[in-house]
Amino acid sequence: MHLVIRDARVIDGTGGASFRADVGIRDGRIAEIRREGTGPRPTAPRVLDADGLALAPGFIDMHAHSDLALLRDPDHSAKAAQGVTLEVLGQDGLSYAPVDDDTLAAVRKAITGWNGDGSDIDFDWRSVGEYLDRLDRNFGGEGIAVNAAYLIPQGTVRMYAMGWEDRPATDAELTRMKQLVAEGMAQGAVGMSSGLTYTPGMYANDSELAELCRVVAGYDGYYCPHHRSYGAGALQAYEEMVNLTREAGCALHLAHATMNFGVNKGKAPDLLALLDDALDAGADISLDTYPYTPGCTTLVAMLPSWAGEGGPDAVLARLRDDATAERIRHHLEVVGSDGCHGVPIEWDTIEISGVSDPAVAGHVGRTIQQSADERGEAPWATARRLLIADRLGSTILQHVGHEENVRQIMRHRVHTGGSDGILQGDKPHPRAYGTFPQYLGRYARELGILSLEEAVAHLTSRPAARLRLPDRGLVREGYRADLVLFDPRTVAAGSTFEEPRTLPVGIPHVLIDGRFVVEDGARTGVLAGRAVRRTP
């Protein structure tokens, strides 16, 4: 042993009762678990007294937007300080591999609000495998702050094969998309994501998506859709994904599985009944949620899909044209844009959380309605001006969730945790810095929605099982020593909507491969993270 963690309350990730034990670590793995009173205690050159602390597997963030953050920020305390030891990237159908030069340029513009414009990044990769290799050799070959797995982004794949056109794929284009997905899976991706309220991924019909899902299923991966509606038609959108993946024979993981907007208040039981029926019939389904009510995305994502055809430059041209901008307003405010989940937009729920251009930073922290009132103009005039001035780079908080839905969904038997954490902007959603301690502190200790043992299982072994990881997600001999020590009495999210970048409390130690990445509550500078590739 090189380290023994002594007298810890072991919450092993199974959901079973915790127990007191010493845990010995050797060569990056858990070498011995000695329960209290069962025999000689392990010894090592270093012994960490964990009396009063819980020892759990490292937390797995099933929905992360750290695709560039891991490359630019060696500290990455936003996740490391929460006890996150693995993030799943490539979410919502838009990321940076696989690409060619034109696709890369377009996707960088499209998701500037999520990850920045990437002007500080050397994009020296094009394939999924090259991106994963880049993670491993980042920062002079030392690696990255936490481990990372990758989903092939279906919107990026469609953009690569056929641009931003809103039409069915030709046979040749579909063949090319299937080839790109197969190559990405063979190179180590764990599955495929979609953003079906984001262009151009939303232009794909179900038959096209099913064909791609069959490729994913052939590699024992999973499909992770941001489906077509979280508002009006949400239940139908969930059912569409269940039926599509059942037809394709592909495992399904529902991204940020919420029931938002006024039309869905109190309807979580309807969603859970739909999932239970499918699970009982043999479907392979899981889901993730964040423990907050507001959502977070980009302001441009609210626009109708037809306004996004042709890519970011075409969107800006439409916004500058008065007649087309009026059509967009009508879809947003009267019809209910598909970008806003089929619900007429309520400008007093749309809070600007970040901008790309400092010249428009005065909007941050205000709703569109508040900014419009200050200027004495209609909300759409304010939103339109901001979209143009910030070149579509503005992020938003959308205050449309329901606490009772959040609580009911997080109790479900296939629930896992995902932050959906966008790290850009002056005032990001606090979930980026607080999701995992929020589960442990507020929802387990304070509210009792889950027991502490249940909460840990949701954040560790369940996501590891979805990712088909044979040696992570449990405190078990032979498993990797990706571990977190926290104080069950004090663990809590420090981040708030007012101070969203505040780090959590009550998480003094985090280890990856047996190395301290957080020690005594401070980031150590150790870069123990690596790309986690699909297990063949």
Side-chain angles (χ1 to χ4, degrees):
M1 311 290 176
H2 76 266
L3 170 67
V4 169
I5 300 171
R6 182 149 288 170
D7 293 323
R9 175 188 170 186
V10 176
I11 304 178
D12 65 4
T14 64
S18 60
F19 55 89
R20 191 175 175 91
D22 297 345
V23 176
I25 296 170
R26 180 175 57 239
D27 297 330
R29 293 186 179 268
I30 300 168
E32 183 176 354
I33 301 172
R34 178 67 65 179
R35 294 195 182 218
E36 185 178 43
T38 62
R41 307 183 81 172
T43 60
R46 178 172 181 186
V47 175
L48 176 65
D49 181 5
D51 188 29
L53 297 178
L55 175 66
F59 304 134
I60 298 175
D61 188 344
M62 287 295 288
H63 193 104
H65 288 283
S66 303
D67 306 48
L68 299 186
L70 281 167
L71 297 176
R72 66 164 60 99
D73 178 14
D75 182 77
H76 201 52
S77 285
K79 295 301 179 65
Q82 292 186 62
V84 171
T85 58
L86 171 60
E87 300 184 87
V88 184
L89 313 177
Q91 300 286 348
D92 295 326
L94 290 167
S95 190
Y96 306 94
V99 292
D100 58 12
D101 291 351
D102 290 342
T103 305
L104 176 60
V107 80
R108 284 176 60 182
K109 289 181 181 179
I111 53 176
T112 291
W114 293 358
N115 300 310
D117 65 8
S119 58
D120 56 338
I121 300 293
D122 179 9
F123 288 90
D124 58 353
W125 69 87
R126 293 296 180 268
S127 71
V128 170
E130 289 169 349
Y131 174 71
L132 296 176
D133 289 343
R134 172 62 187 279
L135 294 175
D136 284 339
R137 61 180 173 80
N138 205 53
F139 299 116
E142 291 189 57
I144 48 180
V146 305
N147 296 311
Y150 190 75
L151 295 166
I152 301 164
Q154 170 260 329
T156 300
V157 166
R158 196 175 210 269
M159 194 189 313
Y160 192 167
M162 55 183 294
W164 292 81
E165 296 183 46
D166 182 3
R167 60 171 175 80
T170 65
D171 289 345
E173 288 164 344
L174 181 57
T175 296
R176 179 59 174 145
M177 285 189 273
K178 291 166 68 174
Q179 178 187 18
L180 290 168
V181 172
E183 289 172 353
M185 293 299 298
Q187 292 164 7
V190 294
M192 181 181 73
S193 75
S194 283
L196 299 180
T197 65
Y198 300 131
T199 56
M202 68 191 303
Y203 300 144
N205 58 33
D206 284 2
S207 62
E208 177 182 317
L209 294 171
E211 285 295 305
L212 301 182
C213 283
R214 289 187 180 96
V215 176
V216 173
Y219 289 87
D220 201 23
Y222 68 93
Y223 180 44
C224 179
H226 164 131
H227 52 272
R228 297 191 194 276
S229 176
Y230 290 83
L235 282 173
Q236 294 91 326
Y238 281 113
E239 186 174 16
E240 176 191 6
M241 295 298 101
V242 170
N243 292 338
L244 185 155
T245 50
R246 177 181 293 164
E247 176 191 345
C250 187
L252 172 65
H253 180 84
L254 295 165
H256 37 59
T258 56
M259 292 288 286
N260 288 340
F261 301 91
V263 295
N264 289 317
K265 186 174 183 179
K267 289 189 176 180
D270 298 335
L271 167 61
L272 300 181
L274 168 68
L275 298 181
D276 282 335
D277 287 346
L279 288 162
D280 291 345
D284 183 358
I285 300 174
S286 55
L287 60 88
D288 66 68
T289 70
Y290 46 84
Y292 299 87
T293 52
C296 178
T297 187
T298 56
L299 182 57
V300 67
M302 299 292 100
L303 304 188
S305 57
W306 58 262
E309 187 174 6
D313 290 339
V315 175
L316 288 167
R318 292 185 181 104
L319 288 167
R320 293 187 181 104
D321 179 76
D322 289 343
T324 308
E326 173 57 22
R327 283 185 63 208
I328 294 172
R329 182 205 66 78
H330 181 76
H331 275 258
L332 281 168
E333 296 184 350
V334 180
V335 176
S337 160
D338 49 4
C340 194
H341 308 278
V343 177
I345 199 164
E346 298 174 317
W347 294 111
D348 59 352
T349 69
I350 306 296
E351 177 186 354
I352 302 301
S353 59
V355 294
S356 296
D357 186 346
V360 292
H363 289 276
V364 174
R366 292 179 169 85
T367 66
I368 292 292
Q369 186 68 60
Q370 288 170 331
S371 289
D373 289 346
E374 290 171 4
R375 290 163 174 76
E377 62 186 9
W380 169 239
T382 298
R384 178 189 177 192
R385 183 182 300 110
L386 177 58
L387 284 163
I388 294 170
D390 205 29
R391 296 194 61 80
L392 314 181
S394 305
T395 53
I396 64 170
L397 303 182
Q398 193 169 17
H399 296 271
V400 293
H402 304 286
E403 179 68 18
E404 67 272 24
N405 286 346
V406 170
R407 295 186 186 188
Q408 290 187 55
I409 293 169
M410 75 169 61
R411 291 191 185 104
H412 195 264
R413 53 176 159 154
V414 298
H415 170 266
T416 68
S419 70
D420 196 10
I422 294 175
L423 301 172
Q424 288 293 117
D426 295 324
K427 196 183 176 193
H429 197 302
R431 68 195 187 192
Y433 285 72
T435 285
F436 295 87
Q438 182 84 337
Y439 271 117
L440 301 173
R442 175 165 172 75
Y443 285 94
R445 183 184 64 242
E446 295 176 9
L447 298 176
I449 303 301
L450 300 166
S451 71
L452 198 58
E453 289 82 359
E454 288 171 330
V456 167
H458 288 216
L459 307 179
T460 59
S461 63
R462 287 189 185 179
R466 166 51 70 219
L467 295 168
R468 311 282 198 246
L469 300 177
D471 58 356
R472 301 177 197 263
L474 294 171
V475 180
R476 181 171 290 176
E477 291 179 359
Y479 274 51
R480 290 182 180 272
D482 293 357
L483 301 167
V484 55
L485 285 137
F486 65 91
D487 187 338
R489 300 160 298 184
T490 63
V491 63
S495 59
T496 64
F497 287 99
E498 292 73 30
E499 299 291 339
R501 296 187 189 275
T502 307
L503 297 179
V505 297
I507 305 179
H509 306 293
V510 182
L511 298 90
I512 295 178
D513 273 356
R515 302 168 66 193
F516 284 91
V517 296
V518 174
E519 188 172 10
D520 295 325
R523 181 76 172 88
T524 64
V526 168
L527 295 170
R530 297 293 184 272
V532 175
R533 292 164 171 82
R534 181 188 56 83
T535 303

